[in-house]
Structures are given as structure tokens and as C-alpha cells.
Amino acid sequence: MLSIFNRLCLFRIDVIGLLTSVRKEKEYAKEEKIVKMIVLELTSKDLTVRCALFGDYVNQVNHFLASGYVEQPVVVIQLAKVKFFRGQVGLQNVIYATQILFNLDFPEVVEFRQSMIEQGVNGTQPLFIANEGKIVSLEDDFMHLTRKCTIEELQDNNEEGSFIIFGTIQGIVEDGGWWYSACVCGKGIYPQNGAYYCDFCLKYIINVTPRFKIKITVEDHSGEGIFLFFDREASYLLKKSCADLFTELVCGDTYPPLFQGLIGKKLLLNM
């Protein structure tokens, strides 16, 4: 008689979750061929599951990562098989059967992302990607490995790279809108032929969500500059998503009084 777990292994399942981590890509020799493997970590509420992908599925993940999307996307994996490895239940792709899909414009994906937001997880945190060498902590990267400069030095600098600025928010620049319409993938959209089109997804979309883009003035001892906070930074500072703030406003064109609470905050900005 098959155990409950062994019965489950006979079936193919569909899963949905936030992609929170991508582990280091590895290579294995199998039947005189080199097979690539990568492990994803998907999170759904209080559960995290690992999914091992092999072969061309690794290329699909790398193609998505190469797009420059740095937040935690919603991933749908269809027809995965359940595996038991080192005492833990995980998932694995089935060659020629499994499908892996990123940030689909489906009601189920929008509903899932909203359910995560309601539990305090908005998916705008950075996606963790293990590098080929030593894994550098966020604190070391931010505080010790990134060059520090003043606002004046940043304005006069023509070098490429990342810089840290320490300053104080002095005001909100009420010039233009404070939000923009975005696809579920997080990218901006624009009207076309009576509908909305996403250049990143390369298709017309149905579900549209508002995202922050707030201009602020920041001051340090050397001078003052204008900076643009997008959704991840603004949501973190305001402790509220743009969609939630929209539900509280009578008119989305006026600047919310909540923004005034940002004035006086001291920040370390990684530019």
C-alpha cells in the first residue's frame, strides 16, 4: 500500500508563490552530458518551499533575471512533481511538461499578491540571488562596500556606480503625479488602442495597479537635491501600499497629507 506521500508523488501539482530566493546555479554530469540546475524558494504566507529546476528551465529563470526585475515576482509553476530530499518536501520540474510563469496578468495572481499584502508582505523587497563567490550580506554591501558621498559630490560626479548619501527629507515636490499605473509585473504601462499595454510582458493587460513615484527634496551639510522614491522605498517609509492609500482618498490627483510625515526623516540613500 502506498503512503500518503508516495501517492502525492504520483501526481503533478500547480503552485503559486512569491519568488524570494534564487540559489547558486550548479552543473552536474549525467550520461556524459552537463546538466544545469538551480533551486528557487517560493513563499506563500507562512510556508516556504524549494523547487529544483533542471536544463532549459534554468535558462528560463536566467532570462527573467536578465530583464532587470529586482523585486520579488509572483511565480506560477504548473505540473511540478513532489520530491522528498534530506527530510524535506520539495518540488521538481518534469521535462517537457512543467511550465514556469512570472507575474502573469491573471485574476488569481492579483488576488494572491493582494493576500500577501494583507499579511504584511508586499513583494517589493529585493529578490535574493546567490552569487558565484562569497555571499555578501546586505549590511556589508550597503555600509562597507559602497562609496559614500555628499549631495554636492553626487551632483558633480560623472562616474558610474553606486553611492551612499546621508541626508534629511526637507519637503515633498508636488510637481506632476505621485503615482503611476503599473502591470502586475511592476513595470509601467501606457494606453494603446483603447487598452493598456506592457512593454515588459509584451501584451495587453487587464489588471492594473497603482504604484508610488514621489519626488522629495533631501538635504545634507553640502547642499540639497531632488530624489525620486518609487514603490519599494515609498511603501517602506509610509508603511502602506499605494493601492491601500488609494482606497482612502477621495481624489487620487491630490497629494495625500500622509506624505508630510516623511519630512524630517533622516535617511541613508543608496543611489
Side-chain angles (χ1 to χ4, degrees):
M1 180 179 294
L2 292 175
S3 67
I4 293 176
F5 176 77
N6 286 333
R7 291 176 191 169
L8 184 59
C9 291
L10 296 176
F11 296 94
R12 305 296 177 248
I13 65 172
D14 299 341
V15 297
I16 183 172
L18 276 181
L19 176 59
T20 54
S21 176
V22 179
R23 295 298 168 181
K24 177 181 175 182
E25 183 178 321
K26 297 180 180 180
E27 292 184 345
Y28 294 94
K30 182 179 181 180
E31 299 177 354
E32 299 183 351
K33 293 183 180 180
I34 301 298
V35 179
K36 294 185 289 185
M37 189 271 280
I38 202 168
V39 175
L40 310 183
E41 287 190 357
L42 301 181
T43 298
S44 174
K45 299 180 181 179
D46 57 351
L47 177 67
T48 297
V49 65
R50 292 186 176 185
C51 181
L53 300 175
F54 295 86
D56 186 58
Y57 294 97
V58 177
N59 297 333
Q60 294 180 36
V61 174
N62 288 333
H63 177 73
F64 174 79
L65 297 178
S67 69
Y69 191 87
V70 296
E71 297 178 359
Q72 297 172 354
V74 175
V75 175
V76 175
I77 300 180
Q78 296 178 317
L79 299 177
K81 62 182 176 182
V82 180
K83 299 288 287 186
F84 192 73
F85 182 68
R86 293 180 180 176
Q88 292 186 331
V89 176
L91 302 173
Q92 182 178 314
N93 68 268
V94 179
I95 299 297
Y96 306 125
T98 299
Q99 282 193 309
I100 179 168
L101 307 161
F102 298 91
N103 286 329
L104 284 175
D105 182 29
F106 283 179
E108 292 82 359
V109 173
V110 176
E111 182 180 346
F112 171 80
R113 188 181 289 278
Q114 183 61 37
S115 71
M116 296 295 284
I117 291 175
E118 292 172 356
Q119 298 199 28
V121 181
N122 59 22
T124 60
Q125 298 300 311
L127 171 62
F128 175 82
I129 304 175
N131 58 19
E132 293 296 327
K134 178 183 177 182
I135 297 177
V136 179
S137 71
L138 181 62
E139 180 181 359
D140 285 340
D141 181 40
F142 192 77
M143 297 299 298
H144 305 299
L145 302 180
T146 306
R147 176 182 167 185
K148 301 173 181 63
C149 73
T150 64
I151 291 178
E152 183 181 26
E153 290 171 339
L154 181 65
Q155 291 171 340
D156 296 335
N157 182 39
N158 294 320
E159 298 179 24
E160 294 185 358
S162 296
F163 304 90
I164 287 180
I165 294 171
F166 177 70
T168 304
I169 298 178
Q170 294 298 318
I172 309 297
V173 181
E174 297 188 10
D175 177 23
W178 55 271
W179 61 277
Y180 68 98
S181 296
C183 175
V184 291
C185 74
K187 302 297 183 180
I189 57 177
Y190 59 90
Q192 185 182 90
N193 299 327
Y196 287 105
Y197 189 81
C198 176
D199 281 333
F200 181 76
C201 297
L202 297 177
K203 63 180 181 180
Y204 292 98
I205 63 169
I206 300 173
N207 297 292
V208 177
T209 182
R211 290 205 163 200
F212 289 117
K213 59 164 189 177
I214 308 171
K215 286 183 181 179
I216 62 168
T217 55
V218 177
E219 183 182 57
D220 66 5
H221 68 276
S222 70
E224 188 177 88
I226 296 177
F227 298 86
L228 186 61
F229 279 3
F230 282 101
D231 201 67
R232 184 172 64 190
E233 298 83 6
S235 297
Y236 174 79
L237 290 173
L238 296 169
K239 308 300 182 186
K240 190 182 294 288
S241 71
C242 188
D244 286 342
L245 184 57
F246 244 75
T247 62
E248 302 173 2
L249 300 176
V250 177
C251 177
D253 294 331
T254 59
Y255 275 69
L258 181 67
F259 290 176
Q260 298 302 312
L262 297 175
I263 298 175
K265 288 185 178 293
K266 298 182 183 296
L267 302 173
L268 278 172
L269 302 176
N270 191 344
M271 309 304 297

